[in-house]
Amino acid sequence: MPRRPQAVDLPPISGLDRTSGHLGRQLTHALREAIRTGNLKPGDLLPSTRQLAAALDIARGTVMEAYEQLIAEGFLDAQPRAGTRVASALAQSRSAASGSQKPAANTTPTSLPAPAAAFAKVAEQFKPLPPVPFAVSVPTGPAAPDAAWRRLGNRIRAQGPGAPSGYDDPQGVKALREAVAEYVRRSRSVQCRAEQVIITAGTQQGLYLACQVLLGATDIAWVEDPAYRGITGILESTGRQDRMVRVPVDDAGIDVDAGMAMAKDARAAFVTPSHQYPLGMPMSMGRRNALLAWARKSGAWIVEDDYDSELRYAGHPFPSLQGLAPDRVVYLGTFSKILFPSLRLGYAIVPEALVPAFCGARVLMDRHTPSADQHVLAAFITEGHLDRHIRRIRGVYAERRSQLAGMLERWIPKDHGWLQPSDQGMHLVLWLARGIDDVLLASRAVEAGVAVRAVSPMYSEGNGRSGLVLGLGGYSNEQMETAVRILAAIIVTMRKTTPCISP
């Protein structure tokens, strides 16, 4: 009678926690790791379940559980009267894996696919800034929502319409869509019905949806120069880099004549007419009429990003572009600036013919925004709390803006940096003397505890100007003064080593 082959000596199996009640799982993991690391090799014969149970002083059923799991996973083979062995097939897969590690000629082992590299670049540029001056819209102190938001949230989430439920309408909670439609009608002169409102996870998602719905693979889009990196990043990362036409901006807004000369047959134009981002000027009525005439004649769409127009400090907010041509304009708004960014609620108001398309794109993206906060926000608007909140923070930010402008003029020499004129919004643009690297400066500022963003990456290649975006939040005058002095010291230090010319 042939002698049964000798089982291998198992590597030490220690650290089994006999109080956890998961000995089978622990043993399975230990044996799996021994095979993966090569301590147990393909073809090795394991001890019988009885022998291993005795050696480890555990129940035989625990060993049987571990062996059966590893057999099911393909790590072990079991044959009648031949015992349990490490699967021989692992030798082939291990050899193939070893061979695949050898880089092919003229390739980089760590190279990323083109889309991955593009998205990684966006992630780097959109790293969240710390909640210190001058990060935009930090809802602390007098800029934070009052107790009404908390009371509504507690009530509605606990037992009202915001209680846990099933899947909801991808278009958004009806009560919020009705509240938004009424709000933009009276505050922004937008023409719409609740059926045209799509609740989004902020303006960024609205821009993504608009690109998905309005642009085919070969369609050209106008984008302002400079522009919000959120829209240029979408077009770059979705393979439309060469189909994006950067149209220059001047004191009257986007230059429509230049856009027509560059790409008359563009399919869409992405604009910020009420408060150009980042420069801050409104689009003139002449430019608005020219843009709408071009869109009507060419059958193009206009995407109006109205991200913070509620916060105008001299007079009333400018009326929306959508109110002049509701059949050609997709209007995007957000509550991130006027309430708080972590709320992640915004809205797209689209021509009726586009509603099904936007809903379909929304389903494929994330189905719908979490419903509980939608119900809370709907009540916050309809009960009048939002209007009172906007009136309050408009005063807060107007004062902060005036104080900050004075501090910048006091601490930063005029030939080092100067402010872009603007009378609205939640940020200021500080232009820097030519030659100062704003990207490097922004990095050094963040290291020193001051949160700013560089302006030059918002321009098309070769057209950039050096500057910084300084946001308004609920910061005290003392916090702002300290941050300005730190920023001024960095600017002066960089100016000493950089040849600059005055504005």
Side-chain angles (χ1 to χ4, degrees):
M1 180 175 180
R3 186 177 177 183
R4 190 175 190 272
Q6 182 70 33
V8 298
D9 292 328
L10 289 181
I13 297 176
S14 59
L16 296 180
D17 183 1
R18 299 172 188 274
T19 65
S20 70
H22 299 295
L23 284 175
R25 251 184 249 169
Q26 294 178 58
L27 180 59
T28 301
H29 175 73
L31 292 172
R32 188 189 294 119
E33 289 305 301
I35 295 170
R36 282 176 171 162
T37 57
N39 288 324
L40 288 175
K41 302 184 183 305
D44 281 352
L45 178 66
L46 271 60
S48 70
T49 56
R50 195 182 305 277
Q51 290 172 328
L52 185 55
L56 297 177
D57 192 22
I58 59 178
R60 184 186 178 201
T62 299
V63 180
M64 293 175 65
E65 175 188 338
Y67 277 19
E68 288 170 0
Q69 178 64 31
L70 292 173
I71 290 169
E73 293 178 8
F75 284 94
L76 301 179
D77 285 335
Q79 298 294 330
R81 298 191 182 89
T84 302
R85 296 177 180 272
V86 178
S88 299
L90 294 177
Q92 299 174 357
S93 61
R94 198 167 282 170
S95 175
S98 176
S100 67
Q101 292 174 358
K102 298 177 181 178
N106 301 320
T107 64
T108 304
T110 57
S111 63
L112 294 174
F119 284 121
K121 181 180 177 182
V122 171
E124 177 64 27
Q125 294 173 333
F126 275 81
K127 280 184 178 178
L129 294 173
V132 296
F134 297 98
V136 178
S137 187
V138 175
T140 59
D146 59 23
W149 177 266
R150 183 178 65 255
R151 288 196 304 269
L152 285 172
N154 292 340
R155 186 186 81 218
I156 291 172
R157 291 191 189 94
Q159 55 189 8
S165 62
Y167 289 114
D168 220 322
D169 188 341
Q171 195 166 347
V173 167
K174 185 177 181 181
L176 180 55
R177 291 190 284 114
E178 291 174 340
V180 166
E182 172 59 20
Y183 168 69
V184 296
R185 181 195 63 78
R186 56 183 166 78
S187 68
R188 303 295 300 115
S189 301
V190 169
Q191 299 184 42
C192 74
R193 299 181 302 116
E195 290 75 15
Q196 295 172 249
V197 179
I198 314 285
I199 301 302
T200 65
T203 299
Q204 186 65 47
Q205 188 179 64
L207 290 169
Y208 206 102
L209 289 170
C211 290
Q212 293 292 94
V213 171
L214 301 179
L215 298 175
T218 61
D219 287 334
I220 295 173
W222 289 3
V223 177
E224 295 170 324
D225 194 14
Y228 171 52
R229 274 296 291 151
I231 179 58
T232 56
I234 290 171
L235 295 170
E236 291 168 1
S237 63
T238 54
R240 296 186 175 98
Q241 170 80 38
D242 297 334
R243 314 303 293 170
M244 175 172 52
V245 172
R246 302 300 301 274
V247 182
V249 170
D250 59 24
D251 290 343
I254 191 170
D255 188 339
V256 179
D257 289 338
M260 293 176 66
M262 298 165 76
K264 186 176 182 179
D265 297 328
R267 185 62 173 163
F270 292 83
V271 293
T272 50
S274 292
H275 185 218
Q276 202 281 332
Y277 190 86
L279 303 185
M281 77 286 289
M283 188 185 298
S284 71
M285 185 53 67
R287 290 284 175 82
R288 291 177 184 231
N289 289 336
L291 182 63
L292 292 173
W294 163 77
R296 289 192 182 99
K297 185 175 181 180
S298 62
W301 303 97
I302 298 170
V303 180
E304 177 179 10
D305 180 358
D306 199 16
Y307 61 97
D308 71 352
S309 62
E310 292 93 343
L311 298 174
R312 185 163 185 251
Y313 308 113
H316 298 290
F318 296 104
S320 69
L321 191 64
Q322 190 270 0
L324 301 175
D327 60 324
R328 301 308 313 169
V329 177
V330 172
Y331 178 88
L332 305 179
T334 181
F335 295 100
S336 292
K337 301 293 189 296
I338 56 176
L339 280 174
F340 48 95
S342 63
L343 181 61
R344 303 314 307 140
L345 282 177
Y347 49 91
I349 296 173
V350 307
E352 291 188 23
L354 292 176
V355 171
F358 270 78
C359 287
R362 184 62 199 277
V363 167
L364 294 179
M365 183 173 292
D366 64 352
R367 193 173 292 254
H368 63 77
T369 302
S371 301
D373 280 340
Q374 292 189 57
H375 286 288
V376 177
L377 181 56
F380 194 76
I381 296 172
T382 56
E383 294 181 18
H385 301 296
L386 180 64
D387 288 338
R388 289 190 287 273
H389 174 74
I390 291 174
R391 286 195 296 270
R392 178 167 59 84
I393 65 169
R394 189 180 286 140
V396 170
Y397 285 134
E399 179 186 357
R400 297 292 189 273
R401 185 183 181 86
S402 175
Q403 294 287 345
L404 177 56
M407 294 173 189
L408 292 168
E409 292 177 359
R410 188 160 59 250
W411 286 102
I412 299 178
K414 288 183 171 56
D415 62 341
H416 289 48
W418 55 97
L419 288 173
Q420 167 77 24
S422 176
D423 65 355
Q424 62 179 313
M426 299 188 68
H427 72 272
L428 294 169
V429 170
L430 178 70
W431 294 118
L432 299 171
R434 194 175 304 171
I436 296 180
D437 185 338
D438 58 347
V439 176
L440 178 59
L441 197 159
S443 175
R444 290 181 178 177
V446 170
E447 291 174 358
V450 179
V452 295
R453 291 200 185 277
V455 172
S456 62
M458 303 177 194
Y459 281 88
S460 60
E461 188 173 353
N463 292 324
R465 290 182 61 185
S466 185
L468 300 174
V469 173
L470 280 64
L472 302 178
Y475 312 114
S476 67
N477 286 344
E478 292 76 16
Q479 287 176 304
M480 291 195 299
E481 184 94 24
T482 299
V484 168
R485 293 177 67 174
I486 293 172
L487 185 62
I490 297 172
I491 291 173
V492 169
T493 299
M494 292 186 68
R495 174 69 175 85
K496 289 178 180 178
T497 59
T498 305
C500 299
I501 61 175
S502 300

